[in-house]
Amino acid sequence: MISEKDLKELLDYSSQDGVLSVYLNTNPTEVQAEAAKIQLRNLLRTVDQPEDVQAVEQYINLEYDWSAKGVAMFSDQRGDFFKTYQFNISLPNKILVSHRPIIRPLVQLMDTFMGWGVVLVDKQGARLFSFNLGILDESTGVMGDPVKQTKRGGGDTMFGRGSSSDASDKVESTIERNIKTIIESAIEFFKHNAIRRILIGGSEENIARFKQELPKAWQSLVVGEFPIGMSAGYLEVLEQASQKVLDVNEKVNQALVKQSITLAAKGSNGVIGLIDTLNAIREGRVKTLLVLDDFAQAGYRCDGCGYLSVQEVKTCPFCNGHFQRIDDAVEMAVREAIRNNADVKVLTHDPTLEQHGKISAILRY
């Protein structure tokens, strides 16, 4: 598991000698341990940093317990720096050497799979889950009073049993009390677990009722629904929630890409392409950054005013300063956007963004 504090530590670290960043898929349903080790050795053959290669191989061969589905490793042995993070999510194999840890895959994982709350609800109670980085944790649920179903056409006032409408009123009153209790418990759970996005499972009727009773501030965080029974097993809930998270994330990112392109076309608060996006980041104007996960391009930064360019220029047209080469300007864009408290969305595949420079942004102003 990785935290925001861990990500900040990676953001702040740099080394003139270079940092080896390794992402390795160890999902036992996709690759056997020995096969993963072979894949790692093949990847490491391209790296000319023997101390870091040895540190990574030693960790995988002697310390890694192979219980996770993916692992990220960052090594700079000359700087006495070595960090590892395990995940319950498959990772694509990737290896890179740079002056800073390569964090884009981590940013994508954290944006996609952190801060989720899952609620299974019916008329009597609810099951509450937090869902972070592939780990589904069930909290103590909430259970209200039993809801007694009335028979259609039942009721006989002649013998003092009361009418069917009286029985229905009692049932409705019980459901209302239960929903109120469920809502109170759910809100407390959301706050305690820093939930940013909510999925609701259950019948159509129960989901609608739960959403209707939620305060508007929490209603705005509901991003998905799915049919499921209250007695569903852990694996069924995990599978449904995982798929829904991916579906929701894809739709949200697609909408944001279209919004950024439309705003850019109107000359409003949007930019597309690396050079315009880099300079909007430098000015602190980026609200949401959108970038493809495999996009890489060198750039140049003025050591005087910070102006950025994708073309090599001898002197800065604004301050006559000199330009320094940046090996991966796209990774730098991701870092600087995070430092400026922008939302960063890393997309695995998006044809629309691919056609518009592979990077875009929605601006604050």
Side-chain angles (χ1 to χ4, degrees), residues 275-288:
I275 186 62
D276 288 342
T277 303
L278 283 173
N279 283 295
I281 291 171
R282 179 179 65 87
E283 295 163 358
R285 298 168 59 207
V286 171
K287 177 182 178 183
T288 304

Side-chain angles (χ1 to χ4, degrees), residues 93-113:
N93 292 339
K94 184 172 290 190
I95 188 165
L96 292 158
V97 176
S98 181
H99 292 303
R100 296 176 178 273
I102 301 300
I103 62 167
R104 214 183 314 178
L106 291 182
V107 172
Q108 183 177 30
L109 278 179
M110 295 174 75
D111 173 64
T112 304
F113 290 105

Side-chain angles (χ1 to χ4, degrees), residues 44-96:
L44 290 173
R45 285 175 183 170
T46 63
V47 177
D48 186 21
Q49 295 191 190
E51 292 180 355
D52 295 312
V53 169
Q54 182 180 3
V56 167
E57 289 185 327
Q58 180 175 328
Y59 173 75
I60 286 295
N61 292 327
L62 302 178
E63 299 179 48
Y64 188 54
D65 63 8
W66 297 92
S67 62
K69 295 181 179 179
V71 58
M73 297 164 280
F74 304 92
S75 179
D76 173 25
Q77 292 301 295
R78 292 186 180 182
D80 195 27
F81 182 85
F82 189 76
K83 300 291 181 182
T84 64
Y85 305 97
Q86 298 182 23
F87 300 94
N88 200 38
I89 302 169
S90 298
L91 296 176
N93 292 339
K94 184 172 290 190
I95 188 165
L96 292 158

Side-chain angles (χ1 to χ4, degrees), residues 120 125-129 138-144 182 185 189 230:
L120 306 191
R127 296 171 65 188
L128 306 170
F129 303 82
E138 184 166 8
S139 177
T140 302
V142 54
M143 191 63 65
I182 292 168
S185 296
F189 172 80
M230 279 287 284

